[in-house]
Structures are given as C-alpha cells and as structure tokens.
Amino acid sequence: MTRHFARGLLVLAALSVSGCAAFSPDSGMSAVSELTSQTINKDVAFVRTAEGAGAVEARVHQLLARALSAESAVQIALLNNKGLQAAYNELALAETDLVEQSLPPNPVFSISRISGNGASEIERQVVGDILALATLPFRSDIARERFRQAQLRAALATLRLAADVRRAYVRTVAGNEMVALLTDAKATAESTAQLAVKLGETGSINKLDQAREQVFYAETTADLATARQTAASARERLARLMGLWDGGLDFRLPNQLPPLPRRPQALPSIEADAVAHRIDLQIARLELNALAKSLGLTEATRFVTLLDLAGISRRTRDPEGAPFRERGFDVQFQIPIFDGGEVRVRQAAETYNFAFNRLTERAVNVRSEARDTYRTYRSTYDIASHYQREIIPLRKIITEEMQLRFSSMQVDIFALLTEARQRLASLRGAIDARQQFFLAQADLQTAVNGGGAPAASGDTSTTIAAAAPADAGH
C-alpha cells in the first residue's frame, strides 16, 4: 500500500512538474527591455556578472566623453543607476516566487521505531498534500499574473528614472544658462555702481540715483549666488540619478537649452492613449485579474483547507511469534464546523472590490492628468515662443536704439542702464519660460506612458498587493 501510494504521489508530482515554470535566462528582463525600447527608445541592462559590469562601464565612459544631451544622460542613468538595478533584483526575486508557486509540494517521509521487552515496531509513512496538488494549476496561473506585474513594475521604475533624469537635465542646463547671464549682469552692474560712486563724489548725480545703481549691483550679486547654488544642486541631482562617482562628476553640458521645436505636438487622442498605454493602469488591471482568480480559488476551497493523505507501512517483530507486516493509510482533513470559509471568501471579495474601485479611480485620474498635462505643455510652449518671437526681439531693438541715442547724446547713461535692467529681466523670463516648456514636455511623456511620481495616496498596485495575500490565504 505504501509503495503504491508513493508511486502515485511521484506520478502526480511528475505530471505537475511538467507544467511548472523554469528560471528564464534574463530573469524576465526581455519584457522590460521591449517596453522601454517602445516608449523611450533606450537600452537597459541587468548587471549580474563582471563582464556585464565592464561593458556597462565602457559604454558610460563613451557617453561621458562628449557633452551630454538629455538623451545621453538618460541612457547613462538606465545603465548605471544602482537603484534601478535594485528594481531589477526585485524582478528576479519575483521570478523565484513564480517558480516556487508552480512546483508541487514535496512529499513528507517519516520513519519511527519503537522497541521494548524484546519486541520492536518499525513504521514508515509517506504523506502528500492532495489539496495543494489539486490547486497547483490555479496557483501557478495566479503566480504568472503577479510575475507579469513585477515586470511592469520594473518597466515603470525604468520610465520613472528616465523622466527624473530629463527634468534634472533641464534644470541643470537652465541653471547654468542663468548663472552665465547673471555673471555678465553682475559685471555690468559692478562697473555701473563704481561709476555712480565717482559721479556722486563730483556731485553729478544725487544720492537717490547713486543708491539705485548700488542696490541693483547688490541684488544682482545676491541673485547670482542663488542661481549658482540652484545650478550646483541641480547638477548634483543629475549626477546622482546617473549613478556617477567622483571620477565622472566632471561631465560636460551644453551652455544653454536647445531651441524650441518649430511647432508643438498635436495629441487629439491623448486621453485614450494614456488609458491604453499607462503602465500603472496595466499593473492595476493585472492585479484585478489575479484577484479574480484568487477569489475563484477561495470559493472553490472554502470548505476544505487541509487534505493530507498518508500511506503507512508497519513491521512488528515479537520474540514469541513470527514477525508480521501491516499496511494502511491515514487521511487528515479539517471539519468546517466553526469556520465554513465565509471569512476567507468575504476577505477575498472585498479585496477584489477594493482593487476594482482603485482601478476605476486611477483610470479617471489618468484621463484628467493627461488633459491637464497637455494643456500645460501647450501653454508653456506658447509662452516660451512668445518670448522668443516677440519680447526678446523687441528688447533687442530697444537696446540698439537706446545705444544710438546715447551715442548722439540724446539720452544719458542712466537711461541706458535702466533699459539694460529691463532687458535683463526679459532674458531671465525667457530662460525660465524655456525651462518650463521642456519640463512640461517631459511631464507629457510620463502622462501618456507612465513613470511620473506616485500618487499622494500611494502606488495603487503596492496597496492592493499588500491588502491581498499572494495565495489568497492558501
């Protein structure tokens, strides 16, 4: 009996193993690479060997050898950021859960020996969890859904890092451009303040005009110090996101932001695109599917949560008689007297409803975010192009005319300096407007594909996963 039961368990386990998941060569990174390539056209790498680390280091050095663009900065970060590598480690851990959930439970073998007064008894048992074997295909299917979620979460972390790098790059270059502008303005203001002091000593200007020139120099000096600190902090953040150590902190950046595109993007179906492509919504949908399957499994096993079958072989030796052998079996199961599974079914149902409402809420928010982000993108483009087409050219004309009038002694030096201050304000506004446009452009991409900052209420998929056990209580 024990031998036949053991063979039956082995056959059943072999049939179960035939459909089990196996470790993939890349720990599921193929899906992450495909999503990343489709959305931002960048390479990703899961560094697990010394050879892989060497290849990544060589690629990073190659990209750092020239002035960084936004695209090259993103590529460096995707290859070199250790936080992203940790997210890929989580994906590899999720694959271990998938393989574990797809394996049948190991049978338990026990042997006991009892002797006394010359008699001895030896008992052998092989115990198998029949319920776990019967529900293995369902649990394996749920594990595959959750592994797909883990792949999407890794892709989401990749897109989030890319978006953060773009924003940090824009802020760093704009900060450097502002520092260069204010440095020139400070030099001019310093010369003007010194001239005002000399003219004040001769009585050519009054104290009011002298104080105005001096305070402009003082304010420009303070603005320059603030701009330098802002630019330095932005550069440090960009270096952190790219995962650079001391040897790579001397990377070169362009002197100014790129020009505006000739025309803004026209996205008439941005809401539908966001709902269809947002990775966080895909994660929530997969979570809902997994919870639906867990709910079905919970309902199917609500009355029986334990079913063990043991084959028993017992050999008894008595000094007063011939040895004899006994065979049999033992079945263990819970009797649903107090708990008929209603609690587990109710928990699973409410967890599913929770996930459904969260998904619906997220879909509504995604549509609103897409509309708002696109409006911001268009308005910042219009503002920046207005500076570029109207304000800056007009300021240039005014400056040139004022210089001509100063040369012909139609205006004095202080009128020319007043115009210089007004032109400085317009140039600072133009830099800020271009910075806001490129930041809005980065936000627009994340609104369609995902990768923005988590919502204030927390990541939906994380919340749902925490609320629902992976095996629905089994």
Side-chain angles (χ1 to χ4, degrees):
M1 177 69 182
T2 305
R3 187 182 301 110
H4 295 320
F5 176 70
R7 289 176 180 173
L9 280 177
L10 291 175
V11 171
L12 185 57
L15 292 175
S16 301
V17 170
S18 62
C20 290
F23 288 106
S24 59
D26 59 355
S27 300
M29 281 295 298
S30 57
V32 178
S33 178
E34 181 180 357
L35 283 171
T36 306
S37 177
Q38 290 174 354
T39 53
I40 58 176
N41 194 26
K42 292 290 179 291
D43 299 327
V44 295
F46 186 15
V47 181
R48 307 177 71 178
T49 63
E51 292 79 6
V56 166
E57 184 177 1
R59 180 79 182 280
V60 169
H61 284 315
Q62 180 185 6
L63 293 172
L64 289 173
R66 52 184 182 271
L68 290 181
S69 64
E71 300 303 318
S72 59
V74 169
Q75 185 60 81
I76 290 173
L78 297 187
L79 296 175
N80 203 47
N81 185 280
K82 298 307 179 185
L84 185 61
Q85 292 296 313
Y88 296 159
N89 290 131
E90 292 181 350
L91 175 59
L93 289 173
E95 188 180 39
T96 64
D97 294 335
L98 168 63
V99 174
E100 182 182 24
Q101 290 296 324
S102 65
L103 292 175
N106 292 322
V108 178
F109 176 77
S110 65
I111 182 171
S112 61
R113 183 178 185 277
I114 302 175
S115 62
N117 295 328
S120 64
E121 181 178 277
I122 299 176
E123 180 178 292
R124 304 177 185 87
Q125 289 190 24
V126 179
V127 184
D129 190 341
I130 303 301
L131 184 62
L133 285 173
T135 59
L136 180 62
F138 304 98
R139 292 186 290 109
S140 180
D141 194 22
I142 294 171
R144 287 188 180 89
E145 294 279 354
R146 298 201 183 280
F147 178 63
R148 176 61 178 165
Q149 283 180 264
Q151 290 178 311
L152 291 177
R153 281 195 294 269
L156 186 63
T158 304
L159 296 182
R160 183 168 293 158
L161 175 62
D164 289 342
V165 172
R166 291 184 192 279
R167 297 186 188 101
Y169 178 88
V170 169
R171 291 190 176 100
T172 303
V173 176
N176 292 340
E177 189 174 355
M178 188 68 74
V179 167
L181 176 65
L182 291 175
T183 299
D184 293 340
K186 179 190 174 185
T188 302
E190 184 178 12
S191 301
T192 304
Q194 293 174 354
L195 176 61
V197 171
K198 293 179 180 179
L199 293 176
E201 293 174 351
T202 61
S204 300
I205 63 172
N206 54 41
K207 290 185 177 180
L208 177 61
D209 291 333
Q210 183 179 352
R212 283 173 178 167
E213 301 307 322
Q214 290 175 341
V215 76
F216 176 66
Y217 169 63
E219 289 174 346
T220 305
T221 302
D223 289 345
L224 177 58
T226 302
R228 283 174 173 167
Q229 177 56 46
T230 301
S233 297
R235 184 183 178 91
E236 284 294 339
R237 174 166 172 76
L238 179 60
R240 290 197 302 271
L241 291 173
M242 292 192 297
L244 298 179
W245 295 80
D246 293 341
L249 294 181
D250 57 346
F251 57 88
R252 292 179 291 120
L253 295 171
N255 295 326
Q256 59 185 10
L257 291 170
L260 296 176
R262 297 182 60 183
R263 60 181 61 88
Q265 299 182 54
L267 299 174
S269 59
I270 185 172
E271 296 179 47
D273 292 341
V275 173
H277 298 108
R278 282 282 290 258
I279 293 182
D280 51 351
L281 280 182
Q282 296 180 44
I283 293 174
R285 292 188 191 104
L286 285 174
E287 179 65 25
L288 194 64
N289 292 336
L291 289 175
K293 294 176 181 178
S294 296
L295 177 59
L297 181 60
T298 302
E299 291 178 341
T301 60
R302 62 178 299 178
F303 296 112
V304 179
T305 58
L306 174 66
L307 180 58
D308 289 342
L309 179 62
I312 303 173
S313 175
R314 182 181 301 164
R315 185 173 184 275
T316 303
R317 177 178 296 178
D318 191 339
E320 298 180 358
F324 61 93
R325 186 182 299 273
E326 298 173 302
R327 296 183 177 87
F329 64 90
D330 177 55
V331 179
Q332 295 184 15
F333 60 90
Q334 286 184 344
I335 302 176
I337 297 177
F338 304 106
D339 183 6
E342 182 179 357
V343 174
R344 292 186 296 109
V345 172
R346 182 66 63 88
Q347 288 175 341
E350 291 304 322
T351 301
Y352 175 84
N353 293 333
F354 172 83
F356 175 79
N357 290 325
R358 283 295 191 188
L359 174 59
T360 306
E361 178 198 29
R362 191 63 189 142
V364 172
N365 292 344
V366 162
R367 293 175 66 92
S368 175
E369 290 169 7
R371 292 192 302 267
D372 184 56
T373 304
Y374 185 67
R375 278 195 295 265
T376 303
Y377 166 79
R378 285 304 303 264
S379 65
T380 54
Y381 178 84
D382 293 340
I383 294 170
S385 62
H386 182 69
Y387 268 97
Q388 183 174 289
R389 293 193 314 266
E390 302 291 339
I391 298 178
I392 298 304
L394 288 174
R395 279 297 176 192
K396 183 179 179 181
I397 293 174
I398 294 173
T399 300
E400 292 174 351
E401 291 296 323
M402 290 293 292
Q403 289 175 346
L404 289 175
R405 284 165 172 73
F406 176 73
S407 299
S408 60
M409 302 183 68
Q410 298 180 28
V411 296
D412 59 13
I413 183 65
F414 297 107
L416 186 64
L417 293 176
T418 300
E419 169 54 31
R421 288 197 291 269
Q422 294 173 347
R423 184 170 184 268
L424 174 63
S426 297
L427 291 174
R428 293 178 68 174
I431 293 174
D432 184 67
R434 278 189 292 128
Q435 174 182 253
Q436 294 304 318
F437 166 74
F438 285 109
L439 291 175
Q441 189 178 54
D443 292 340
L444 180 63
Q445 189 176 48
T446 62
V448 175
N449 299 316
S457 59
D459 184 71
T460 301
S461 62
T462 304
T463 305
I464 295 174
D471 56 356
H474 295 290

